[in-house]
Amino acid sequence: MATTTRARRSTTALLVVSGAVVLADWATKVLATVALDARSIDLGTVIALRLSHNSGVAFGMGDRLSGRVVIALTAAVTVVLAVAALRGAFASPTAAGLVLGGAVANLGDRILGGSVVDFIDVGWWPSFNLADAALTISCLLLVVVSWRTPAGGGPTETVPNDDEQR
């Protein structure tokens, strides 16, 4: 029963985090589309808010592929991530929610507008959005969590001493 409750809590956390990512990402993309259509906004010397559209996949790769192919590939990856997340394949439900939310938000962009809206520009890196940030943070979080979890996720193996071997 405790395992079922724990699984239910993990699934709830996953869905809440992914929903929050999707809503926050789409809200900021709407704001960026309206506010940055004809201008950019410098935030200090490093970050600028500048509207761009990515018709490809990560870092603009694949921008020459047809929109349908990009959507199909993105949808396939999103479905695989969703199934893995819902089956508990990620060590952290928060990280799973960030991954799934980021993937769903960018997929929604592609389906609705044909490209992903990007608006955060740091100059030395391709422009990105909150969904991309969520995906990156989730990967970092999964690495940190993996350092804290023993290999195999269970108790470490013990080697019997000489007395136990006899």
Side-chain angles (χ1 to χ4, degrees), residues 8 12 21 27 30 52 80 86 97 116 124 143 158:
R8 193 174 304 127
T12 300
V21 168
V30 167
S52 64
V80 168
L86 291 169
V116 171
W124 52 271
V143 168
T158 58

Side-chain angles (χ1 to χ4, degrees), residues 31-68:
L31 288 172
T33 301
V34 171
L36 303 174
D37 188 33
R39 67 183 183 129
S40 65
I41 300 171
D42 291 329
L43 302 175
T45 58
V46 179
I47 299 175
L49 301 178
R50 187 172 293 116
L51 186 64
S52 64
H53 296 271
N54 179 1
S55 60
V57 289
F59 310 118
M61 293 185 294
D63 62 342
R64 293 192 176 144
L65 295 171
S66 81
R68 289 181 182 181

Side-chain angles (χ1 to χ4, degrees), residues 20-29 98 101-102 105-106 117-120 128-137:
V21 168
V22 170
L23 291 175
D25 181 68
W26 285 350
T28 57
K29 287 173 179 174
L98 291 169
N106 281 339
V117 174
D118 289 326
F119 59 92
I120 303 169
F128 59 97
N129 55 51
L130 289 186
D132 299 333
L135 287 161
T136 302
I137 290 167

Side-chain angles (χ1 to χ4, degrees), residues 93-104:
T94 301
L98 291 169
V99 167
L100 187 57
V104 167

